[in-house]
Amino acid sequence: MKFRAKIVDAACLNHFTRVSNMIAKLAKTCTLRISPEKLNFILCDRLVGGGVSMWCELEQENFFSEFQMEGVSAENNAIYLELTSENLSRALKTAQNARTLKIKLTNKHFPCLTVSVELLSMSTSSRIVTHDIPLKVIPRKLWKDFQQPSVPDADVSIYLPVLKTLKSVVEKMKNISNHLVIEANLNGELNLKIETDLVCVTTHFKDLGNPPLASDDASRDRDPAEMAEVHVDIRKLLQFLAGQQVNPTRALCNLVSSRMVHLDLLHEDVCLQYFIPALS
Amino acid sequence: MKCVVMGSNVKVLGKAVHSLSRIGDELYLEPLDDGLSLRTVNSSRSAYACFLFAPLFFQQYQAATPGQDLLRCKILMKSFLSIFRSLVMLEKTVEKCCISLNDRSSCLVVQLHCKYGVRKTHNLSFQDCECLQAVFNPASCPHVLRAPARILGEAVLPFPPALAEVTLGIGRGRRVILRSYQEEEADSTVKAMMTEMSIGEEDFQQLQAPEGIAITFCLKEFRGLLSFAESANLPVSIHFDAPGRPAIFTLEDSLLDGHFVLATLLELDPHSQDLGSSQLHRPVPQLQGHSTPHQDDFANDDIDSYMIAMETTVSSEGLRVLPSVTLTPGPQRHCGPGPHSEEEDNDEAEPGPVPGTPPPKKFRSMFFGSILDPIHSPQGPSPVLAEDSDGEG
């Protein structure tokens, strides 16, 4: 099992750092899947995470100038690693003024992801910072838990409003109650509702737009004004929004009535999918 | 005693107090003929810091009223620090600072003369105290490195603020290496990230140490000195000896000098302080580290043999990492001043370390000589301090 990759471009490095910061905010521990074409950050729906799952995918050639990997075997050409996300984002933080960044899978008393940064320095000598991030290697028999979640057939698909606005609304609502109702329809309307004995607060977003329906989509027959609704724990939505420091290129929300909220984001070339289950 | 500090020197004084506050809870203030000395020591007596401000630093400096003995006093660091708490405020509003010691009222009076006629007077009660004097001599340390504070500040930047200890050493190619030091935990399932910074020799004004030497000391205390040095833009010299012997950090200019003496870790196991990526299966030369950027081949990555071992013995628990590393018994920390006290330490050390037991945590300080009145020496479970102060600290 081998892995080694290098980033030399500053813009790629910054983008990779931003992705890593986002992952660190979304999941304390996550699984990194390395395959010849892609890198994935995965959180599978364990009770520990409260049932949320996350799937983030990036094409390695958009970031790395060099990328070499050898999986566990030729038929199973992938590597699954479990690490503390904050370690990676902290390691990348020191790479802000880097000439090059190298990532390598190593074994120093225990398996590590070694991030080695060559810093730009005013003097002639180079400065090198190295971080060894401890890992757990996930054995092949558990790989099935970390596959790409199937995208469910949504009742309603709608584009999200500006995430910053959404976040400030949700933050204020959290003070009132933890039980949030998200509802949306095919007319581009999205509502967030909080209800307690004393007060009921609803925020309405209009004219958001819906993605075009596929020709065989069951939702075609749906009344466009009919709302699909999902009840979720507001903190999970807030955690998701807290991870979005930059406004994404595209943000979609798919609601499966009474079952789950599927958030589908695209940050330039990195796709992030986040699944929040409905409250039982 | 009476000292008057003017203008921007007030901020310098404030910064020095901030620095000292990172070390100890009590400030020993002593006006000497060659200047005002501010000293402190930490509770485990494994770190000592001292700033000496020359008479020229002050607009007016009077060590003692004629005919009186030189006074020395001990005040609570917290109280003294609160006067200089906001450095921004000091810089913007304080024009003059007067410090006077009045033995009749047993009060240390600190008066800040600020803009617009505002005058703040602080009366701090103090205790008479013994002289706090650490026994150390930078000249007796065979190794030294010196660099501008900025370089050292940049060197510690990648390390997490919470990191307690760091190892400093010279690696292959005469590169100076700083590496985070983690104690071997009994609970080996949660490992911490290891960070290493490697700097070329050219960034140092002086580097007199052999390749392979390494010492481990408290990073938090070092940062205290660094923050002062960076603001004053002074070079820092680090004088050190073998691991276990105290390391002396100095900075000076024409108006002041500072000394921080920190205990270093004495490792019983010669390899645990290695700066090299030593592996269990294959010995590699010490201090290989990551200093050479060309080490890109996989020859040193033993992940395959690890994987083979793992695949053949993986149980249904799946994710548990094989405890393939047997931890060597933890280090015992002393910084004895000589072979004489090391023998004593062995007598008093815990009876044979049990593998897996967390190592004893204390850095025991041995460099305080008998200048301390025996009545005042610390009681309790810490072993006896150095017998006498002959020889180096």
Side-chain angles (χ1 to χ4, degrees), chain A residues 82-112:
Chain A
E82 186 183 287
L83 50 77
T84 303
S85 332
E86 199 204 342
N87 283 344
L88 182 61
S89 74
R90 244 195 305 128
L92 292 174
K93 202 162 107 169
T94 59
Q96 275 181 352
N97 294 319
R99 201 175 269 147
T100 61
L101 175 106
K102 289 183 203 148
I103 307 184
K104 207 161 85 166
L105 187 61
T106 56
N107 186 18
K108 303 175 177 178
H109 302 295
F110 45 83
C112 287

Side-chain angles (χ1 to χ4, degrees), chain A residues 188-217:
Chain A
E189 290 173 345
L190 172 77
N191 298 336
L192 298 175
K193 290 206 294 214
I194 282 277
E195 194 176 304
T196 67
D197 294 335
L198 294 175
V199 71
C200 181
V201 181
T202 309
T203 304
H204 303 265
F205 295 91
K206 291 182 157 53
D207 296 326
L208 292 173
N210 303 82
L213 295 170
S215 55
D216 59 348
D217 206 318

